[in-house]
Amino acid sequence: MTTINPTVPVTASATTTTTKAPAFKGGKDKIAESLAKKIIPQKVLTPEEAFMEKVAGMSCAANTQDKAVLKEIVLRETLLGNMDFVKGINEYLANSAAKNAYKK
């Protein structure tokens, strides 16, 4: 009777050494500072303006078929601080995903 995986005694053992790299300190603070400089502060809107921005985001999501383009729009509007516009896009996508979940 022959075996498929014969046991072979291990004669040499491999040893590995690990060296510790120095940790980068203060990275989070520098990243937060650089992002704060790049991101434009959010403009305070009236409730009517906020609603109009939300509706504009919903219509933008409804008219944009390409997901890559919509992703770029979301990133751009987030960096500009138009959070109501992004909320509209998210609301439209959530509603359409919920509707499509029950279709057969």
Side-chain angles (χ1 to χ4, degrees):
M1 180 173 180
T2 60
T3 60
I4 295 173
N5 294 325
T7 57
V8 178
V10 178
T11 57
S13 62
T15 59
T16 59
T17 59
T18 58
T19 58
K20 293 184 179 181
F24 181 71
K25 296 182 180 180
K28 291 182 181 179
D29 297 333
K30 291 182 181 181
I31 292 172
E33 288 175 11
S34 66
L35 284 176
K37 291 178 185 176
K38 291 181 182 179
I39 296 176
I40 299 170
Q42 184 178 1
K43 182 181 174 185
V44 178
L45 301 174
T46 64
E48 293 83 15
E49 291 173 333
F51 179 75
M52 290 185 342
E53 284 290 323
K54 191 173 181 181
V55 170
M58 293 175 77
S59 66
C60 176
N63 294 331
T64 307
Q65 297 297 322
D66 190 15
K67 290 183 180 183
V69 173
L70 192 60
K71 181 180 178 180
E72 290 175 11
I73 292 171
V74 168
L75 291 174
R76 181 185 68 226
E77 296 297 328
T78 302
L79 285 174
L80 292 174
N82 297 333
M83 295 302 166
D84 292 310
F85 189 85
V86 176
K87 284 180 189 177
I89 292 174
N90 287 338
E91 184 176 333
Y92 177 80
L93 293 176
N95 287 341
S96 66
K99 289 176 187 175
N100 292 336
Y102 294 105
K103 287 184 180 179
K104 285 189 178 185

